[in-house]
Amino acid sequence: MLQLNNPSLLKKSLFINGKWLKSKITTTVTNPFDNSTISTVSLCDKKQCNDAITYAQTAFKSWREFTAKQRSNLLYKWYELILANKKDLAQIITYEQGKPLAEALGEIVYGASYIQWFAEQAKRIDGDIIPPPNSDQRIACIKQPIGVVACITPWNFPNAMLARKIAPALAAGCTVVCKPSELTPLSALALTELSRQAGIPTGVINILMGDAAMIGKQFCASKIIKKLSFTGSTAVGKLLAAQCVDTLKRITMELGGNAPFIVFEDANIDSAVEGLMASKYRNSGQTCVCTNRILVQKPIAKIFKQKLIDAVKSQLVVGFGANKDVTTGPLINQQACLKVDELVNDALKKGAQIDYQDTTREGNLYPPTVLSNVSAQMEIAQQEIFGPVAIIIEFDNEQQALEIANNTDAGLAAYFFTQDYRRIYRVSEALEYGMVGINSGIISNEMAPFGGVKQSGMGREGSKYGLDDYLEIKYICLGGINS
Ligand code: ADP
């Protein structure tokens, strides 16, 4: 049972214009470990969705007038409250999403780091003074908030993905209407309750649950909403982008990946295995930057595979994330397990072999698996696996590794391990990805720009660039100086 020290964090309603609103239509939120019901939450109708957008517009008029320092102080207060309640927030994630408590705590601290970062960056939204082409003029550029922002977030990081969008929006002076995943709304609601307790004004943050397609359409069609920030699947991202054409909204999209993890023959094999364990198996393989394809150079393939199997066997414990020692929780639902099964079975039919598979298989728990003899053409190497299945593809030389790595429409994260400094430059420049980890399997933090190229999306979250998408540049020209 979910037992919070601060029960005020377990909210079940819509949050519109500073009020918790119940509705007649509800949905249940379940624990992916045993499919038990955790809570029911209210769903909005079209009118409530449009009301939230209108309230966000009203709030924008006053929020944008807050000084950067005032906005910063409020964000900082929110950040502190999140840290003070981190154990409860982590527990909510474990129950509704499935990841183990230690990982859930990591997500809370990671999500909060974006709020802290953008509290700092709020005060650095500087403009420019530009030398004019004639002496009679003066040119200035100022940056202004774009307006009301719509945020749609997925279930794999129910806290952090939302924090990573709301924080820069608020720092810039924008207000938000958000739709978290229907599978994991409780984390979003708890985060919102803390924003209320921190004193973030009425209407600045609005949270809606409901029919995703309906809410998506309302967001995209609204002329009030000036920007859509979406994290989720490439298919839904494309649909939303198409729906935004009519209003020519600015869009930021963090979509699916197909991360290669290349181990060159000159790599430190032990640290490559360590990096891979973190990059492949965290969140049971359900992150868009999780390693999808392991490319290993032939001379070290055998030893690498053995060390990987040893690590999987000795380190991973499958089970309910709230239980001590569990490292690998369930997949989000049965459908997710079936999809991973389908990919594995297809690969086996086409010649892949299972080198190792954990024996635990119950409910939505998917056993950590290592497959080899995989070819780059198999479905499992082309699609995002989103499960704890490591697939090994062998290669001969650097050129071939790069060809395989880049032969995908995705371009989010890539990793490689080598000790050759020349190769570090060559390969990191040649990889068609937005983020590259060299001798490191975990690379995301609030100070660095997170985002992809190709069909993995557009825009960057976090870092000094993360505010740009929420700002408009206004050019101001003053003439007649000498008259
Ligand atoms: P995933 O496969 O990771 O669940 P989705 O893209 O389906 O990724 O979901 C990400 C977010 O997009 C969720 O909040 C989901 O409810 C939302 N979503 C799904 N379909 C639509 C849609 N047609 N319009 C708007 N949002 C959608």
Side-chain angles (χ1 to χ4, degrees):
M1 275 282 290
L2 192 56
Q3 275 180 332
L4 304 180
N5 290 321
N6 180 356
S8 79
L9 297 181
L10 191 61
K11 292 289 182 228
K12 306 174 176 195
S13 314
L14 310 165
F15 189 69
I16 300 176
N17 200 32
K19 293 199 181 70
W20 292 105
L21 298 179
K22 281 199 183 121
S23 69
K24 287 198 189 105
I25 347 159
T26 58
T27 189
T28 54
V29 183
T30 56
N31 178 341
F33 172 67
D34 57 9
N35 298 316
S36 60
T37 299
I38 308 170
S39 180
T40 54
V41 294
S42 294
L43 302 179
C44 71
D45 58 23
K46 218 170 177 177
K47 181 178 175 309
Q48 286 165 318
C49 178
N50 286 325
D51 284 351
I53 297 172
T54 309
Y55 284 124
Q57 184 187 31
T58 306
F60 175 59
K61 289 180 191 141
S62 50
W63 180 242
R64 67 178 302 169
E65 299 303 329
F66 276 56
T67 64
K69 194 162 179 169
Q70 286 170 324
R71 292 198 300 268
S72 169
N73 287 342
L74 285 166
L75 282 169
Y76 204 79
K77 190 124 187 258
W78 189 23
Y79 160 76
E80 286 179 327
L81 280 176
I82 292 169
L83 290 192
N85 289 276
K86 67 181 178 187
K87 284 194 176 153
D88 280 350
L89 295 170
Q91 208 190 133
I92 294 174
I93 293 184
T94 297
Y95 272 76
E96 70 173 347
Q97 196 273 341
K99 72 180 64 169
L101 267 178
E103 244 189 278
L105 260 180
E107 176 179 341
I108 300 302
V109 174
Y110 170 75
S113 74
Y114 284 87
I115 298 176
Q116 181 192 38
W117 172 259
F118 285 110
E120 293 155 358
Q121 291 299 98
K123 294 179 281 186
R124 298 184 187 118
I125 304 175
D126 304 332
D128 292 302
I129 300 291
I130 295 174
N134 64 62
S135 61
D136 203 30
Q137 288 179 327
R138 293 294 180 270
I139 295 175
C141 287
I142 60 168
K143 292 183 183 168
Q144 295 183 303
I146 190 166
V148 178
V149 176
C151 309
I152 301 181
T153 51
W155 48 262
N156 60 347
F157 288 89
N159 173 295
M161 291 302 103
L162 201 58
R164 202 158 86 172
K165 296 186 189 308
I166 298 179
L170 267 55
C174 301
T175 57
V176 294
V177 281
C178 308
K179 194 208 85 60
S181 167
E182 55 281 12
L183 301 174
T184 54
L186 302 178
S187 294
L189 297 175
L191 197 59
T192 305
E193 169 58 15
L194 291 175
S195 78
R196 194 191 63 75
Q197 291 179 16
I200 291 177
T202 296
V204 170
I205 298 176
N206 302 276
I207 306 281
L208 300 168
M209 287 79 66
D211 175 5
M214 180 277 285
I215 296 176
K217 275 193 193 137
Q218 299 304 307
F219 283 178
C220 295
S222 167
K223 285 191 184 167
I224 293 173
I225 293 176
K226 296 296 187 292
K227 171 188 161 68
L228 170 72
S229 179
F230 172 74
T231 299
S233 62
T234 304
V236 173
K238 286 181 182 179
L239 175 80
L240 291 170
Q243 287 179 182
C244 285
V245 165
D246 235 18
T247 52
L248 280 182
K249 249 181 249 325
R250 192 183 293 177
I251 46 182
T252 301
M253 302 229 154
E254 305 289 356
L255 308 175
N258 182 356
F261 187 105
I262 312 171
V263 190
F264 289 102
E265 59 188 338
D266 54 34
N268 176 325
I269 296 179
D270 290 329
S271 63
V273 169
E274 194 186 325
L276 181 66
M277 289 300 291
S279 156
K280 174 69 242 180
Y281 289 104
R282 78 195 168 104
N283 206 7
S284 299
Q286 303 171 107
T287 89
C288 49
V289 294
C290 269
T291 290
N292 213 50
R293 298 166 292 162
I294 305 159
L295 312 183
V296 188
Q297 200 156 8
K298 277 183 181 152
I300 55 157
K302 201 165 163 214
I303 172 93
F304 179 84
K305 191 167 79 178
Q306 195 49 54
K307 285 187 181 232
L308 174 61
I309 292 169
D310 292 346
V312 173
K313 256 189 205 168
S314 63
Q315 291 174 24
L316 301 187
V317 179
V318 183
F320 178 34
N323 291 346
K324 211 171 150 269
D325 299 333
V326 165
T327 60
T328 311
L331 299 193
I332 190 68
N333 53 28
Q334 194 194 7
Q335 211 184 333
C337 293
L338 293 176
K339 197 196 145 212
V340 180
D341 264 342
E342 226 173 80
L343 291 172
V344 170
N345 290 335
D346 178 73
L348 294 177
K349 243 188 267 159
K350 292 176 179 159
Q353 69 184 50
I354 294 186
D355 289 316
Y356 174 74
Q357 188 161 49
D358 192 281
T359 48
T360 320
R361 179 84 206 239
E362 58 180 82
N364 299 326
L365 294 176
Y366 200 96
T369 303
V370 178
L371 285 188
S372 65
N373 248 354
V374 174
S375 84
Q377 287 73 37
M378 290 177 187
E379 275 300 297
I380 202 163
Q382 299 285 325
Q383 289 192 33
E384 244 183 334
I385 302 170
F386 247 59
V389 178
I391 60 170
I392 299 176
I393 302 169
E394 297 182 20
F395 67 89
D396 290 308
N397 55 48
E398 186 178 305
Q399 194 52 35
Q400 196 193 8
L402 281 170
E403 275 164 24
I404 298 171
N406 287 337
N407 187 19
T408 165
D409 288 333
L412 196 57
Y415 310 88
F416 67 95
F417 278 67
T418 179
Q419 298 190 83
D420 179 338
Y421 74 93
R422 295 157 301 185
R423 180 172 265 154
I424 285 175
Y425 277 96
R426 282 197 306 269
V427 174
S428 53
E429 287 168 15
L431 283 167
E432 296 164 3
Y433 287 82
M435 297 175 280
V436 176
I438 307 159
N439 298 333
S440 176
I442 297 279
I443 57 175
S444 177
N445 60 68
E446 79 280 15
M447 295 171 211
F450 189 103
V453 300
K454 301 206 285 192
Q455 292 191 24
S456 286
M458 55 200 75
R460 293 293 180 272
E461 293 191 316
S463 83
K464 65 175 181 175
Y465 308 108
L467 275 173
D468 294 350
D469 276 340
Y470 297 86
L471 295 166
E472 291 282 17
I473 296 172
K474 183 179 282 175
Y475 155 45
I476 300 171
C477 179
L478 177 65
I481 293 284
N482 298 327
S483 61

